[in-house]
Amino acid sequence: MIVWINGASRAGKTTAARELIDLIPNCTLFDPEVIEEDLERLLPAKRLAEVNTYQDLPIWRRMVVDTAAALLAELGGVLVVPMGLLREEYRDEVFGGLAARRIPVCHVLLAPGETILRTRDPAGEPPADIEHYRVALGGWLAADAYPVDNGGLSPYETAVRIAAALRTGDAASCDIVQTPEPTAETVAAGVLLFDDEDRVLLVDPTYKPGWEFPGGVVEAGEAPARAGVREVEEETGIRLDDVPRLLVVDWESPMPPGYGGLRLLFDGGRLAGARASEVLLPGPELRAWRFVTESEAAVMLPPVRFERLRWALRARERGAAHYLEAGVPVG
């Protein structure tokens, strides 16, 4: 198990974590700042200068997940990780990566008042990440983590409060679907669903960054179109009566740590009238859904995924499927 102690700079995460490891049996401290030190030696200065923080580097996020998993495999027990993780897409990627390795994460937020955070600076300045913290606290973070107001607590008292919440289950494991990481190339089937205004349905997964189409990996022995129908029902509660029509076949080349494979998009048709409002999110896999225009999708989807959508929409208009490689038509 991992206890992830989140919060703004100067919230007291590291000092509380050092006290906490003495209160939990078989407990180890893992501070991701050691990853930052490694990256300073491994990456060219030019690459480091391209980002605002180390968390903006995909390699940082991968190394945090891989190192945490390796430490737990080596030592067992509980790993305490004091690290501010204030961007939701980074939380999704890191926590989702841990969930894929079957590692539960208890997410704790140290939330002293902003005035307290200012007093911990000699010049009375706010933390450098205060704006990200405000945005996160006003949205996803407050709902995702167990809050501890440690403004008037010592590091030891804070640790005692966290340990008690873990013991009683108040600070429970995050409810993240443990999607197994692929070990070889995969076939994935997505289904496009439309409302009366021809807007397309996108969903927001909790276990990886970015918006997506309803769908998922095709299981062994399963027909791709049937897999798409199954995933739509599991993710949205919508049961499709007909087998959807193929729009796009896209070859995603392997790019470590991913294995790539075939990505298929099908036309699930229009959810006419009130049926478009019947979309449900039955489980913890998705946090939100939205019907969007093509231009709105261009902002919400990663570039290759948007290209896949763009060509699927053209195929829908023309009545002929497209073959793509990395989002680019071939042939």
Side-chain angles (χ1 to χ4, degrees), residues 208-252:
K208 63 179 179 179
W211 289 71
E212 254 288 12
F213 321 110
V217 174
V218 179
E219 296 178 355
E222 188 176 29
R226 303 287 182 178
V229 171
R230 171 182 56 77
E231 289 282 351
V232 165
E233 184 171 4
E234 290 177 1
E235 294 182 351
T236 70
I238 297 293
R239 177 174 294 182
L240 299 179
D241 297 325
D242 301 316
V243 176
R245 178 170 61 96
L246 179 66
L247 296 175
V248 155
V249 176
D250 191 11
W251 167 249
E252 188 175 282

Side-chain angles (χ1 to χ4, degrees), residues 7-315:
S9 299
R10 306 185 212 138
K13 301 182 292 294
T14 302
T15 53
R18 288 174 179 154
E19 298 284 356
L20 183 61
I21 61 174
D22 293 329
L23 300 177
I24 300 175
N26 195 15
C27 190
T28 305
L29 176 66
F30 166 46
D31 191 339
E33 285 190 2
V34 300
I35 303 295
E36 299 175 7
E37 296 168 5
D38 288 339
L39 292 177
E40 286 180 358
R41 293 190 293 268
L42 293 170
L43 293 180
K46 179 181 178 181
R47 177 65 179 122
L48 295 175
E50 293 172 350
V51 297
N52 294 319
T53 71
Y54 288 95
Q55 293 188 18
D56 294 334
L57 294 166
I59 190 174
W60 181 90
R61 304 190 294 274
R62 289 199 296 268
M63 287 179 69
V64 167
V65 172
D66 291 342
T67 305
L71 280 169
L72 282 174
E74 183 75 21
L75 302 172
V78 177
L79 203 63
V80 176
V81 183
M83 173 56 63
L85 203 59
L86 303 179
R87 292 185 57 170
E88 188 175 22
E89 63 269 30
Y90 294 170
R91 174 266 183 213
D92 292 350
E93 185 174 346
V94 172
F95 285 16
L98 294 168
R101 290 163 169 80
R102 301 296 190 265
I103 300 172
V105 178
C106 293
H107 190 190
V108 177
L109 172 65
L110 299 189
E114 191 172 324
T115 303
I116 301 294
L117 296 175
R118 286 176 178 270
T119 62
R120 295 175 181 174
D121 179 76
E125 294 292 330
D129 57 2
I130 193 64
E131 290 302 326
H132 287 300
Y133 175 67
R134 288 171 181 162
V135 171
L137 190 62
W140 66 273
L141 184 55
D144 194 74
Y146 177 81
V148 175
D149 182 352
N150 64 324
L153 303 178
S154 68
Y156 175 75
E157 291 169 332
T158 302
V160 169
R161 185 79 59 86
I162 295 172
L166 294 169
R167 187 170 57 252
T168 61
D170 291 334
S173 298
C174 293
D175 199 8
I176 308 174
V177 169
Q178 296 179 333
T179 303
E181 289 199 332
T183 56
E185 295 174 0
T186 56
V187 177
V191 179
L192 303 185
L193 299 168
F194 300 87
D195 66 3
D196 286 332
E197 299 175 40
D198 254 0
R199 297 177 300 177
V200 66
L201 178 66
L202 297 183
V203 294
D204 185 13
T206 60
Y207 57 90
K208 63 179 179 179
W211 289 71
E212 254 288 12
F213 321 110
V217 174
V218 179
E219 296 178 355
E222 188 176 29
R226 303 287 182 178
V229 171
R230 171 182 56 77
E231 289 282 351
V232 165
E233 184 171 4
E234 290 177 1
E235 294 182 351
T236 70
I238 297 293
R239 177 174 294 182
L240 299 179
D241 297 325
D242 301 316
V243 176
R245 178 170 61 96
L246 179 66
L247 296 175
V248 155
V249 176
D250 191 11
W251 167 249
E252 188 175 282
S253 61
M255 185 176 296
Y259 288 89
L262 285 177
R263 309 292 178 248
L264 290 77
L265 279 183
F266 295 89
D267 184 359
R270 180 173 283 109
L271 301 177
R275 198 177 182 208
S277 63
E278 295 175 0
V279 177
L280 302 173
L281 303 179
E285 188 171 352
L286 306 172
R287 69 162 59 87
W289 60 272
R290 188 183 306 173
F291 283 99
V292 301
T293 64
E294 184 174 346
S295 60
E296 289 170 334
V299 178
M300 299 167 66
L301 294 173
V304 171
R305 206 172 294 161
F306 172 69
E307 286 302 305
R308 200 173 294 153
L309 170 66
R310 189 167 73 89
W311 286 107
L313 294 178
R314 302 294 83 79

